[in-house]
Amino acid sequence: MEGSRPIKPGSTACLCFGLVSVAVTFLCTEARTTPSPLLTPSNATCRGNAKCRAGIILPIWYPEDPSMGDKIARVIVYFVAMIYMFLGVSIIADRFMAAIEVITSQERELVIKRPNGETSTTTIRVWNETVSNLTLMALGSSAPEILLSLIEVCGHGFQPGELGPATIVGSAAFNMFVIIGLCVSVIPQGEVRKIKHLRVFFVTAGWSVFAYIWLYMILAVFSPNVVQVWEGLVTLAFFPICVLLAWVADRRLLFYKFMHKKYRTDKHRGVIIETEAERSKGIEMDGKMLNSHFMDGGGPSNLIGLIESKEVDESRRDMIRILKDLKQKYPEREMDQLVEMANYYALSHQQKSRAFYRIQATRMMTGAGNILKKHVAEQAKKSVSVQQVHVEEPEEYVSRIAFEPAVYQCLENCGAAILTITRKGGDINKTIYVDYKTEDGSANAGADYEFSEGTVVFKPGEMIKEINIGIIDDDIFEEDEHFFVRLSNLRVLETEDEVLSPNSLQYPKAMLGFPTVATVTILDDDHSGIFTFESNLVHVSESMGIMEVKVLRTSGARGTIIVPYRSMEGLAKGGGEDFEDTYGELEFKNDETCKLIHVKIIDDEEYEKNKNFFLELAEPRMVDMSLQKETLTRRSITLSRLHCKNGTTGSIQRPKLGETASVASSKDVTDRKMTSDEEEARRIAEMGKPVLGEHSKLEVIIEESYEFKSTVDKLIKKTNLALVVGTNSWRDQFMEAITVSADEDEEDTGEERLPSCFDYVMHFLTVFWKVLFACVPPTDYLNGWACFIVSIVIIGLLTAVIGDLASHFGCTIGLKDSVTAVVFVALGTSVPDTFASKVSAVQDTYADASIGNVTGSNAVNVFLGIGLAWSVAAIYWHMKGKPFVVEAGSLAFSVTLFTIFAFLAISVLLYRRRAHIGGELGGPRGHRLATSAFLFGLWFLYILFSSLEAYCHIEGF
């Protein structure tokens, strides 16, 4: 039916877990009425909860022995309240994990020294991924269990409790069996997920099993039923040791530094394992290639920095690849749209932290919608609003008179130079007068141009006026010359008979703008010219497409000249790799002073690029050589006559019979001995031939596109997940708290979906918690630490209430605290982790976020949750001179059972690395279903045996 929502795999799994929980509850309730064997000292915990005891916060609900109807009502109230408190913990844990994401996303600059001696600066994360996963991330996902154990001990007079430790063990079982089993089955058909950081997984998996072996040894081996101070402190000390060893394994420090590893397939068993290998040029460490130069000790201080730098370069290459793919796929889209699409694609496909998946699962579960899509949509709206908001130019109340443009060029034979004067702004209905006057530069008035001065009148409505300056042409070769035209004495016609200067008015109506001086360059046209580039070096962006290079013709523009040119490779390669090869000839017509060379630059969108090639001009030649000879001779004769007029001795002979006047004159000039003036004239005449100028070879440096580089940098900054989950103001938090959004899938349908009925129901069920926890400091304050501290305090308070509710619920229905903890409390605290692991298993390329973090959290739960609580209690009773008594009983049995089952589960995961399956998650349908069924069966057996032992149906410790 249209509009109906399909049941998600995660929802189905939760329904199954609920049915199992109800079944176990009735089983245990029935067990109360079944005769139990006689109690023995070794099984002293078989006694059930006969009476409810006062909680840390909640008192006893009187009367203590209610009727059956009241008891059912109380069970419903406790159960609903417990579920509602679990929702509250999930929402405040959302804020807590957002703070952790912001804290672990802090960056710093690192200077890296490369093998060639060059240094570069890059930005890396302050927190190591492995360390953050085992400390803050594990604390964030396991905070309720850890705090429940600590609060239970401290809140009941430092007496041991069953709820906290049993919740830790039950949560570990749920994580290990149910969450991993679910992750195995949700991988799309035909895909597999492998653990990337295999060494780290071995360390955390080993510690997760050892933690519960150690817990059993504390309870039943070292000092049975008594926890000593050193046992609690050693348990607590295992936490930093575990983190340190995981970090060592991640970074290949100590003995890892000298063990060159590679992954291979065992031919006999087919298991993909890590073995020692011979030294090679490059070895693989968690998917990254490291040069053996660094592994041999060359620059060990830069090793970590080099790895991080390579990760940054990889992220840039990934972003460039995404942009290129989107450009090819959507060529009609604007760049802003492509950036928005690339931002969402990068956020969706990059490797995410455990905190992000936990936050996303919680928000989608509580009707807050897809945080990635919401973030990208908000960023797009902000960019559109910024583009729409433009600064309006203030209205000009003053007219400005100036030249536009300020530089002019003209040939010597052009007759006149035309200059443009413009009026901008102000009242265009006013009449404005402005004077102009020419001034000598290297050109002289009367010899090179006609002196000119006058007044330009801008009548009402006129915005542009032109003035003409006469140019004098001669046959004498000379360098290019210039002169100036200056504006002055601006006046405004106020009335028909009154013309006022701007300074005489209270508010000026007009004034001289910029520029008020124009430069006119007279290009000599008497000789062929000098051919040159504008400079010897030019920088171009690889994104410019077609590059236009000007070839200038100066100091003459007479005749048709051919100038050959060609491109030459440097670091930049031709043939379409970095640029298209170009060669040919430029034909300068008579009086033509500029031609263009077009070179196609290939845009391969490199992030950093600095390659060069060259353009070279060959010797120019005239099309008609006889014209060149005639020009030289005519110039020589003209110059000789000028010298004779100035009093130079000598005479001009008449040409002989059969000789032209020019040939005779040429012979006369060349035969007799020339004076110094004639030699100077001949030298100047020789300069009239077409020659190359100072810049006949141009170096072109191709650089990365500034716009493209800026776009990539902005995208990389935008893909910081701390920007997605973090908040910068209380206003944003309250707006987010009262807004309901659609629970969209990751696939973009291109249409905005409206919230469903389920979204509205979950929003209104949790809106109280959302608004209440919006008062927590935003994550931008103190780099997330303010939100971190306030959130963990609130989690502690809610956990204390949950502990009281769970204990009262259990005693009312007749369940022991150990069974209540294993079945209900562990399930309630682990539901957000279940959804987070499911999403991470589907979206991540690797299985680390869904499997590796489970094993890490299980170890941290024991070392912090039990180690901290029992250390405090043991020290307290030691100061009192009494032992801290903890009955092994059901806890030791649960720990033993979990250890055996965990070993089996890890063995199955390692078996799945065989070549015919390929990885821990996914794989062929048969293996996937078998693995999931096996792990779910282990959890069911764990719940069943733990419950039966608690009620003495089977013998425990």
Side-chain angles (χ1 to χ4, degrees):
M1 180 183 296
E2 185 178 358
S4 62
R5 294 175 56 87
I7 299 177
K8 299 182 179 180
S11 303
T12 305
C14 287
L15 291 175
C16 294
F17 300 156
L19 292 175
V20 172
S21 302
V22 173
V24 172
T25 300
F26 281 106
L27 176 65
C28 297
T29 304
E30 180 66 20
R32 264 200 324 136
T33 62
T34 304
S36 300
L38 296 175
L39 298 180
T40 62
S42 61
N43 196 8
T45 60
C46 287
R47 292 185 297 267
N49 288 0
K51 283 189 176 183
C52 294
R53 62 175 180 172
I56 300 173
I57 296 178
L58 298 181
I60 298 176
W61 191 339
Y62 292 102
E64 294 188 47
D65 190 16
S67 63
M68 181 56 67
D70 290 342
K71 183 177 292 188
I72 293 174
R74 289 186 185 186
V75 168
I76 294 174
V77 170
Y78 283 136
F79 186 76
V80 172
M82 194 162 53
I83 292 178
Y84 197 66
M85 295 302 294
F86 279 134
L87 285 176
V89 169
S90 298
I91 294 172
I92 188 59
D94 174 3
R95 310 290 311 137
F96 187 52
M97 298 299 278
I100 291 174
E101 182 67 38
V102 171
I103 291 170
T104 56
S105 297
Q106 298 300 314
E107 298 175 341
R108 64 183 176 91
E109 289 188 350
L110 179 69
V111 178
I112 301 171
K113 186 175 181 181
R114 301 188 181 277
N116 58 5
E118 296 181 356
T119 59
S120 61
T121 303
T122 187
T123 302
I124 64 172
R125 291 284 180 92
V126 175
W127 282 78
N128 173 266
E129 181 182 357
T130 299
V131 174
S132 64
N133 284 339
L134 287 177
T135 53
L136 294 181
M137 297 294 182
L139 178 62
S141 61
S142 303
E145 296 96 319
I146 295 172
L147 292 177
L148 178 61
S149 177
L150 181 62
I151 292 172
E152 184 184 30
V153 169
C154 297
H156 291 98
F158 298 97
Q159 294 291 338
E162 291 185 352
L163 199 63
T167 299
I168 288 177
V169 182
S171 177
F174 188 90
N175 293 343
M176 179 67 73
F177 308 137
V178 176
I179 291 181
I180 295 180
L182 178 64
C183 292
V184 170
S185 63
V186 297
I187 303 299
Q189 184 66 32
E191 297 183 12
V192 293
R193 302 286 189 270
K194 293 173 59 176
I195 293 176
K196 178 183 178 183
H197 300 276
L198 191 60
R199 294 187 305 275
V200 177
F201 171 73
F202 285 154
V203 171
T204 56
W207 277 102
S208 67
V209 175
F210 169 77
Y212 294 91
I213 295 175
W214 174 258
L215 184 57
Y216 170 78
M217 295 174 71
I218 290 177
L219 293 171
V221 177
F222 295 137
S223 53
N225 300 324
V226 175
V227 175
Q228 300 181 9
V229 174
W230 72 267
E231 293 174 335
L233 293 178
V234 169
T235 304
L236 186 60
F238 280 143
F239 171 67
I241 296 174
C242 172
V243 174
L244 179 62
L245 289 181
W247 179 74
V248 167
D250 181 47
R251 286 303 178 192
R252 281 185 176 267
L253 301 179
L254 300 178
F255 59 91
Y256 283 103
K257 178 180 177 180
F258 306 102
M259 294 174 60
H260 290 253
K261 304 288 184 180
K262 69 176 182 179
Y263 292 120
R264 67 172 176 83
T265 303
D266 191 317
K267 295 181 180 180
H268 300 287
R269 294 180 299 165
V271 180
I272 302 173
I273 59 175
E274 188 181 35
T275 60
E276 295 186 14
E278 298 295 331
R279 291 179 178 267
S280 59
K281 294 181 180 179
I283 63 173
E284 184 175 354
M285 181 177 114
D286 298 334
K288 308 178 186 67
M289 295 303 296
L290 293 181
N291 191 284
S292 59
H293 167 78
F294 291 92
M295 297 306 297
D296 292 336
S301 61
N302 290 324
L303 176 58
I304 296 177
L306 179 64
I307 297 171
E308 299 288 355
S309 176
K310 288 191 175 184
E311 290 177 354
V312 172
D313 292 339
E314 287 177 3
S315 65
R316 287 171 178 165
R317 285 195 294 269
D318 291 341
M319 192 62 66
I320 291 170
R321 177 184 55 80
I322 292 171
L323 279 176
K324 286 182 178 180
D325 293 344
L326 289 174
K327 277 185 178 180
Q328 294 177 357
K329 191 174 181 180
Y330 305 101
E332 74 284 354
R333 298 288 180 92
E334 298 292 335
M335 192 60 187
D336 292 339
Q337 294 176 312
L338 293 176
V339 168
E340 178 184 344
M341 295 169 65
N343 185 23
Y344 177 70
Y345 184 90
L347 286 172
S348 302
H349 291 79
Q350 70 169 311
Q351 186 175 355
K352 304 175 184 66
S353 65
R354 180 77 174 178
F356 175 83
Y357 287 120
R358 175 71 180 263
I359 295 167
Q360 187 181 40
T362 302
R363 296 192 183 180
M364 294 179 71
M365 184 175 63
T366 57
N370 188 318
I371 57 176
L372 285 180
K373 288 192 175 183
K374 287 179 63 177
H375 173 75
V376 173
E378 290 173 1
Q379 293 297 319
K381 290 179 181 178
K382 288 181 180 179
S383 62
V384 170
S385 62
V386 169
Q387 293 175 0
Q388 291 176 349
V389 176
H390 59 278
V391 179
E392 296 184 358
E393 297 183 0
E395 184 180 353
E396 285 283 354
Y397 296 99
V398 179
S399 296
R400 298 182 183 274
I401 309 298
F403 285 109
E404 187 176 340
V407 178
Y408 299 85
Q409 292 181 343
C410 65
L411 290 170
E412 195 177 40
N413 62 357
C414 68
I418 301 175
L419 283 67
T420 302
I421 306 174
T422 62
R423 169 167 70 174
K424 293 183 178 180
D427 186 0
I428 63 174
N429 295 318
K430 295 289 185 182
T431 300
I432 298 177
Y433 298 85
V434 62
D435 295 341
Y436 69 92
K437 182 179 179 182
T438 59
E439 298 178 0
D440 286 349
S442 58
N444 297 316
D448 300 306
Y449 70 94
E450 297 175 357
F451 175 81
S452 179
E453 64 177 340
T455 300
V456 175
V457 180
F458 284 89
K459 295 181 180 179
E462 291 183 336
M463 306 298 292
I464 298 176
K465 300 292 287 186
E466 293 179 345
I467 58 175
N468 296 333
I469 309 296
I471 305 299
I472 300 175
D473 188 15
D474 57 34
D475 292 332
I476 302 176
F477 172 74
E478 52 195 353
E479 298 290 337
D480 295 342
E481 298 171 323
H482 66 276
F483 65 94
F484 307 101
V485 182
R486 185 181 300 275
L487 299 178
S488 61
N489 191 24
L490 184 142
R491 290 97 64 198
V492 179
L493 179 63
E494 283 294 319
T495 61
E496 293 184 1
D497 300 327
E498 184 180 14
V499 178
L500 301 176
S501 66
N503 295 331
S504 62
L505 299 173
Q506 183 178 4
Y507 300 102
K509 300 293 181 65
M511 62 186 301
L512 292 175
F514 179 83
T516 58
V517 177
T519 302
V520 182
T521 301
I522 304 174
L523 304 177
D524 186 74
D525 66 339
D526 297 315
H527 287 74
S528 301
I530 300 173
F531 298 87
T532 180
F533 292 113
E534 290 182 297
S535 63
N536 60 355
L537 178 66
V538 63
H539 294 260
V540 299
S541 170
E542 65 173 354
S543 64
M544 72 180 307
I546 302 298
M547 171 189 178
E548 292 185 347
V549 181
K550 285 185 179 180
V551 179
L552 303 179
R553 182 184 192 181
T554 62
S555 302
R558 175 163 296 190
T560 301
I561 308 298
I562 298 296
V563 182
Y565 68 90
R566 63 168 181 164
S567 61
M568 297 187 301
E569 291 184 350
L571 294 177
K573 302 301 179 184
E577 183 175 343
D578 294 307
F579 68 95
E580 294 285 356
D581 295 315
T582 182
Y583 57 89
E585 294 180 340
L586 299 176
E587 182 176 350
F588 285 83
K589 300 292 186 181
N590 188 48
D591 292 342
E592 195 171 10
T593 60
C594 180
K595 298 289 283 186
L596 295 176
I597 298 176
H598 294 89
V599 183
K600 184 177 180 181
I601 306 298
I602 305 301
D603 185 7
D604 53 6
E605 294 183 335
E606 293 185 22
Y607 180 78
E608 291 182 349
K609 191 171 187 177
N610 191 357
K611 298 180 180 180
N612 67 329
F613 71 96
F614 302 91
L615 288 175
E616 186 178 36
L617 299 178
E619 288 296 330
R621 65 181 187 274
M622 294 189 69
V623 174
D624 187 356
M625 298 301 295
S626 62
L627 177 61
Q628 181 181 8
K629 293 180 180 179
E630 182 181 352
T631 300
L632 293 175
T633 305
R634 183 164 55 85
R635 295 296 178 267
S636 300
I637 295 173
T638 302
L639 291 172
S640 298
R641 289 175 178 174
L642 288 175
H643 289 308
C644 291
K645 289 180 181 180
N646 292 332
T648 306
T649 58
S651 59
I652 303 299
Q653 298 182 0
R654 294 182 178 275
K656 296 179 181 180
L657 184 63
E659 289 182 342
T660 62
S662 62
V663 174
S665 300
S666 177
K667 286 184 177 181
D668 178 69
V669 173
T670 55
D671 290 344
R672 65 181 174 81
K673 184 178 181 180
M674 292 184 295
T675 64
S676 60
D677 290 337
E678 289 174 339
E679 289 180 354
E680 179 66 17
R682 171 61 67 93
R683 188 186 68 80
I684 294 175
E686 289 291 333
M687 291 177 59
K689 295 189 297 182
V691 296
L692 294 177
E694 178 182 2
H695 307 304
S696 61
K697 188 174 183 179
L698 174 66
E699 180 182 4
V700 181
I701 297 179
I702 306 176
E703 297 176 337
E704 71 276 359
S705 169
Y706 173 79
E707 295 80 5
F708 182 76
K709 183 177 181 180
S710 176
T711 300
V712 172
D713 288 338
K714 289 179 181 177
L715 276 174
I716 291 177
K717 291 181 179 179
K718 286 183 178 180
T719 52
N720 187 344
L721 292 174
L723 300 177
V724 180
V725 300
T727 54
N728 52 25
S729 68
W730 269 291
R731 177 184 178 277
D732 292 343
Q733 293 185 170
F734 279 102
M735 289 297 296
E736 182 180 341
I738 62 176
T739 303
V740 57
S741 302
D743 179 12
E744 300 181 61
D745 293 331
E746 286 300 313
E747 297 181 0
D748 190 3
T749 59
E751 299 180 358
E752 184 177 358
R753 291 180 52 186
L754 296 176
S756 65
C757 179
F758 177 79
D759 296 325
Y760 280 108
V761 170
M762 292 305 300
H763 173 72
F764 287 115
L765 284 178
T766 58
V767 68
F768 168 76
W769 294 121
K770 291 180 179 180
V771 174
L772 178 63
F773 299 145
C775 300
V776 174
T779 55
D780 276 8
Y781 291 7
L782 300 179
N783 293 327
W785 286 105
C787 180
F788 179 89
I789 295 172
V790 174
S791 297
I792 201 169
V793 171
I794 297 176
I795 291 175
L797 294 175
L798 293 182
T799 302
V801 177
I802 288 176
D804 292 348
L805 287 173
S807 180
H808 291 174
F809 171 79
C811 71
T812 302
I813 203 173
L815 291 177
K816 296 187 61 174
D817 281 350
S818 60
V819 177
T820 304
V822 168
V823 177
F824 293 100
V825 183
L827 179 62
T829 57
S830 300
V831 166
D833 286 327
T834 305
F835 286 102
S837 295
K838 171 197 173 277
V839 175
S840 64
V842 174
Q843 295 183 3
D844 260 8
T845 308
Y846 300 99
D848 297 72
S850 51
I851 294 181
N853 290 328
V854 166
T855 57
S857 297
N858 287 351
V860 171
N861 285 351
V862 173
F863 297 147
L864 282 183
I866 293 182
L868 186 59
W870 286 2
S871 295
V872 172
I875 293 174
Y876 173 82
W877 289 110
H878 179 74
M879 294 175 63
K880 295 284 188 179
K882 298 179 181 180
F884 177 48
V885 178
V886 179
E887 296 290 342
S890 298
L891 180 59
F893 179 83
S894 296
V895 167
T896 304
L897 193 62
F898 169 75
T899 304
I900 297 172
F901 286 174
F903 181 79
L904 294 176
I906 294 174
S907 300
V908 169
L909 293 178
L910 293 179
Y911 174 83
R912 288 179 56 85
R913 292 183 68 89
R914 293 174 64 92
H916 67 282
I917 300 179
E920 289 81 2
L921 305 182
R925 179 179 176 84
H927 292 87
R928 180 188 314 183
L929 295 178
T931 304
S932 297
F934 176 74
L935 294 176
F936 290 158
L938 290 180
W939 181 72
F940 179 78
L941 290 177
Y942 169 78
I943 295 294
L944 179 63
F945 291 152
S946 297
S947 302
L948 292 176
E949 190 278 336
Y951 290 96
C952 300
H953 288 277
I954 59 176
E955 186 176 357
F957 296 97

